[in-house]
Amino acid sequence: MEVSVPSNRLNRALGLIAPGTAVRDGLDRIVHGRTGALVTLGNNARLQALSTGGFSIDVAFSATALRELAKMDGAIILNDALDRILFAGVHLMPDAAVETTETGTRHRTADRVARQIGVPTVTVSASMSTISLFVDGARWIVQRPEQLLARANQALATLARYRDRLTEATARLSAAEVQDAATVREIAVIAQRLEMVRRLRLELNGYAIELGTDGRLVRLQLQELVSGLDELTVQLERDYSDEVTQLRLARLSGLDTDDLGDPALIARACGLGDEVTRKVAPLGHRQLAQIGRLSPQVADSLVSHFGSLQGLFGASTADLLSVAGVDYGIARTVREGLIRLTESAYAERLD
């Protein structure tokens, strides 16, 4: 299922009216009072040029004040910090030539103002009891917290399943790497899992922003589920890139969900070619990263010296000691770490 994900500007604007903010409190009061409203989340000279009538009040913002002022006709203009109400009862007159697909007078005005001057604008529909946010030509219907939490929990459950499958795919790749039998297909499977996780992560970030203070648990669970995945992406790209091949997993963002089911399309998109059965050899960055107490600088030196993961597996203690920055303690750590990886890889194959 394709899910609409807010843009960065829209996300920032959603954060301004998320649950727990004073502005959202005021908007909810307007909804419960069954009245409508048009509120601009900021002010500038261009907005003033579109404004006629109304009156200047310049008072400290409060939810109750916003609710009372919404009983009058006209727009309410807040300052950029959203801590003061500058004007009320304002008649906004945007350029009628600005295109809009909205139908109601309040919504058409809000959409045109947001498009014309770039200030986020909020409307409350008296008939539908809904809050709408207009930013850069987009209209976002603000969902109730209980609706958002239900969607977020469903997305978290899906993300947990994808993370489990990613862990399994990574273990299979490790086993194939140890036995020098890795192919493009194993990498494509991991790339597909990483891309699906990335898309769910974006969706959940949007839910967390919209939920405001109610999204604390969602943010904590999301952080736990995606922990280490950015590092995994970098390690894979470094392991399978050379002068000829440049693995770039970010290119998968251009594929639709159906295309992500085809390993050949994934391999081609991220730079590995079309032949999914082709054998590939990792440099060893990912496997060395799993060995504790090994600094990134030493790991890079080892990869540079031995040239591949298989070269590392074949290195003796004396060979390891010949690398700059490697002492006996580090050499023993590397040897023991590679032995553990080998044992776990063969156990994975037996399972």
Side-chain angles (χ1 to χ4, degrees), residues 75-97:
I76 300 169
I77 299 177
L78 307 182
N79 67 341
D80 293 340
L82 307 185
D83 58 5
R84 298 194 70 80
I85 302 175
L86 302 180
F87 302 93
V90 177
H91 183 202
L92 297 177
M93 300 181 63
D95 187 350

Side-chain angles (χ1 to χ4, degrees), residues 14-28:
L14 284 168
L16 299 176
I17 60 172
T21 63
V23 175
R24 179 56 175 270
D25 185 16
L27 294 173
D28 285 341

Side-chain angles (χ1 to χ4, degrees), residues 51-343:
S51 305
T52 61
F55 50 93
S56 173
I57 52 176
D58 194 12
V59 298
F61 181 91
S62 70
T64 53
L66 186 68
R67 163 72 181 97
E68 293 304 317
L69 291 170
K71 295 177 180 179
M72 301 184 298
D73 290 334
I76 300 169
I77 299 177
L78 307 182
N79 67 341
D80 293 340
L82 307 185
D83 58 5
R84 298 194 70 80
I85 302 175
L86 302 180
F87 302 93
V90 177
H91 183 202
L92 297 177
M93 300 181 63
D95 187 350
V98 176
E99 293 186 2
T100 177
T101 57
E102 300 299 327
T103 53
T105 302
R106 182 181 291 120
H107 292 84
R108 290 173 68 86
T109 300
D111 189 20
R112 282 175 169 156
V113 167
R115 290 173 184 266
Q116 187 172 342
I117 65 173
V119 173
T121 307
V122 178
T123 62
V124 177
S125 171
S127 59
M128 301 294 292
S129 296
T130 57
I131 302 171
S132 300
L133 174 65
F134 294 86
V135 178
D136 296 339
R139 179 188 181 186
W140 193 265
I141 305 297
V142 178
Q143 302 293 318
R144 294 192 301 273
E146 58 271 20
Q147 294 174 314
L148 289 171
L149 280 172
R151 293 183 180 181
N153 287 331
Q154 183 180 18
L156 283 169
T158 304
L159 179 58
R161 290 194 296 272
Y162 276 128
R163 181 62 196 258
D164 289 341
R165 293 173 185 172
L166 175 59
T167 300
E168 294 169 359
T170 305
R172 287 194 294 270
L173 176 63
S174 295
E177 288 176 342
V178 168
Q179 300 176 61
D180 196 21
T183 65
V184 169
R185 181 181 295 277
E186 277 99 8
I187 303 171
V189 170
I190 293 178
Q192 188 262 358
R193 301 283 190 262
L194 282 170
E195 177 59 20
M196 294 303 293
V197 166
R198 186 193 68 83
R199 296 182 184 191
L200 278 169
R201 183 180 185 176
L202 286 176
E203 180 184 342
L204 281 160
N205 274 331
Y207 291 145
I209 291 170
E210 277 195 84
L211 283 165
T213 55
D214 294 341
R216 182 178 60 86
L217 292 178
V218 172
R219 286 188 287 272
L220 289 174
Q221 292 178 73
L222 175 60
Q223 183 178 3
E224 180 180 2
L225 286 170
V226 302
S227 176
L229 296 188
D230 291 338
E231 292 81 359
L232 173 60
T233 298
V234 173
Q235 291 160 7
L236 283 173
E237 290 181 341
R238 296 187 69 193
D239 259 349
Y240 292 98
S241 294
D242 53 32
E243 294 81 1
V244 178
T245 302
Q246 292 294 316
L247 177 62
R248 294 293 180 266
L249 300 183
R251 296 170 183 165
L252 298 182
S253 62
L255 298 182
D256 61 32
T257 303
D258 292 336
D259 289 340
L260 287 175
D262 188 335
L265 283 176
I266 293 172
R268 185 188 311 129
C270 62
L272 292 175
D274 298 324
E275 190 179 347
V276 295
T277 58
R278 178 172 62 87
K279 287 186 63 176
V280 288
L283 295 178
H285 291 288
R286 185 175 64 87
Q287 300 284 18
L288 287 178
Q290 299 179 59
I291 299 176
R293 303 187 303 279
L294 190 63
S295 71
Q297 294 78 13
V298 171
D300 288 346
S301 296
L302 289 169
V303 170
S304 178
H305 183 87
F306 293 102
S308 70
L309 180 61
Q310 291 303 313
L312 283 164
F313 280 128
S316 65
T317 300
D319 293 332
L320 293 171
L321 288 171
S322 67
V323 179
V326 176
D327 57 21
Y328 183 78
I330 293 176
R332 184 175 63 181
T333 297
V334 172
R335 289 282 296 168
E336 292 175 352
L338 291 175
I339 290 172
R340 287 195 301 271
L341 290 172
T342 302
E343 292 172 347

